[in-house]
Amino acid sequence: MKIIAVTGSSGFIGKHLVNTLKNNNVNVIELDIDKGFNLLKEENLQHVPKFDVIVHLAAKSFVPLSIKNPGEFYYHNFTLTLNVLELARKNNAKVILFSSYLYGKPDYLPIDEKHPLKPHNPYGHSKLICEKLCEGYNKDFNVPIIIFRPFNVFGPGQNKDFLVPSIIEQLKTGEITLKDPRPKRDFIYVDDVVKAILLAIAYEKSNYEIFNLGYGKSNSVVDVVNMICELSVIKPRISFTNEIRQGEVLDTVADTSKIYSMLKWKPEIDLQKGIKMILKYS
């Protein structure tokens, strides 16, 4: 049985992953600041027990904050990833890195992993740097790497700053105010993401791969709010400020044929089903 280390184990995806691993009696090492372990401090690395795979989820990730505090995002995300790679190198272990959507305004849809990389905010640029670090450790030290580029993950327990939980939280007040109604996003449910991680942990056929994680369909902000309202007994007032974010990407759709071909993964929970499951938890 493999020993799995998880950074960011107290975060949104981390909690879902750790619960699934523990329910399957997997030995999990939780490396999280909320668990008393600061991965930014190099002196703490020597206290990490031996592991076979490290799933690197810890990161600063809220895009608007990355624009306000870019230096903090670059330092935090770079240093965490560097320390994870050092741990993996010393343990002869595999790294599963959670990157981000890095394709900017797409040249074509759906977007495959060969699409040009055009990150359009400090968070995205910091993640591209992390990918390059992984590429270096793979080439120089043969550290096995799987990189996931998730599109828009959603599910129970997500931070209320993100779109779906923000709408559900506002719904309770009877009034929903949003900015730009136009942007379309590819929403992937957190349980499907966890299944992809489990398949990546077991995958041994190559030692460096990059995979998109998405559903393969996009829904606009208007679609999302209407879907949530239709599934709720509350009928709120809905308004839009029509504030347009600088450099806004209006549509994203993931091409997931590579991960299906290599890991036999495909998403099972669409946006509507996922929202129903979240509302059940709310």
Side-chain angles (χ1 to χ4, degrees):
M1 181 74 76
K2 290 178 179 176
I3 299 170
I4 312 299
V6 180
T7 76
S9 61
S10 297
F12 167 46
I13 297 173
K15 283 181 180 176
H16 287 269
L17 174 62
V18 167
N19 287 341
T20 301
L21 290 170
K22 288 182 175 179
N23 288 340
N24 287 290
N25 298 313
V26 176
N27 189 344
V28 181
I29 300 167
E30 296 190 55
L31 304 176
D32 192 287
I33 192 78
D34 288 350
K35 302 284 184 181
F37 188 90
N38 188 347
L39 193 59
L40 286 171
K41 294 187 176 179
E42 193 175 341
E43 61 268 25
N44 289 344
L45 304 186
Q46 61 188 319
H47 302 300
V48 177
K50 188 168 176 59
F51 57 83
D52 301 296
V53 180
I54 184 163
V55 183
H56 182 30
L57 295 164
K60 285 192 172 294
S61 61
F62 189 53
V63 170
L65 278 182
S66 80
I67 294 166
K68 287 183 180 177
N69 303 304
E72 188 179 342
F73 270 67
Y74 280 112
Y75 171 76
H76 194 101
N77 292 345
F78 173 88
T79 307
L80 285 176
T81 303
L82 181 62
N83 287 343
V84 162
L85 289 163
E86 272 295 283
L87 282 172
R89 180 179 69 84
K90 291 171 182 175
N91 280 280
N92 295 313
K94 175 160 70 178
V95 174
I96 298 173
L97 170 78
F98 263 70
S99 182
S100 181
Y101 175 89
L102 299 180
Y103 304 111
K105 293 183 180 180
D107 297 343
Y108 54 83
L109 295 173
I111 303 162
D112 58 21
E113 292 84 355
K114 294 177 181 177
H115 188 286
L117 301 182
K118 300 180 288 185
H120 54 294
N121 53 62
Y123 167 63
H125 280 288
S126 77
K127 282 297 191 177
L128 180 54
I129 291 168
C130 293
E131 286 195 12
K132 290 298 181 184
L133 267 180
C134 287
E135 185 181 338
Y137 268 74
N138 174 257
K139 287 180 177 176
D140 296 337
F141 307 109
N142 207 33
V143 175
I145 306 281
I146 288 180
I147 294 172
F148 284 127
R149 290 180 184 152
F151 279 53
N152 282 65
V153 185
F154 75 110
Q158 189 174 28
N159 187 300
K160 291 179 174 57
D161 288 328
F162 290 86
L163 181 65
V164 173
S166 166
I167 293 170
I168 292 172
E169 195 65 19
Q170 290 186 68
L171 177 68
K172 298 170 186 174
T173 70
E175 188 161 345
I176 296 172
T177 304
L178 299 165
K179 294 178 182 177
D180 190 347
R182 303 171 302 152
K184 300 175 75 175
R185 295 292 182 265
D186 186 331
F187 291 91
I188 178 73
Y189 193 70
V190 66
D191 289 1
D192 283 326
V193 171
V194 169
K195 287 174 187 172
I197 297 170
L198 299 182
L199 290 168
I201 287 169
Y203 186 72
E204 304 287 357
K205 290 182 181 176
S206 68
N207 74 348
Y208 186 83
E209 295 295 344
I210 297 172
F211 297 114
N212 285 339
L213 283 180
Y215 190 80
K217 178 185 176 184
S218 63
N219 291 91
S220 69
V221 173
V222 171
D223 293 336
V224 176
V225 72
N226 287 342
M227 203 176 289
I228 290 171
C229 292
E230 285 167 12
L231 292 169
S232 170
V233 295
I234 303 169
K235 301 304 171 193
R237 286 185 299 171
I238 303 166
S239 61
F240 294 92
T241 65
N242 294 309
E243 179 185 334
I244 297 173
R245 196 163 56 173
Q246 182 180 352
E248 182 64 87
V249 175
L250 289 178
D251 202 359
T252 63
V253 180
D255 182 333
T256 58
S257 55
K258 181 182 177 185
I259 190 172
Y260 177 72
S261 171
M262 297 182 72
L263 301 188
K264 299 304 175 208
W265 175 91
K266 62 179 179 180
E268 297 175 357
I269 300 168
D270 65 12
L271 180 61
Q272 185 175 49
K273 186 176 179 183
I275 288 170
K276 282 181 184 176
M277 294 165 76
I278 298 170
L279 289 171
K280 198 181 294 183
Y281 285 100
S282 299

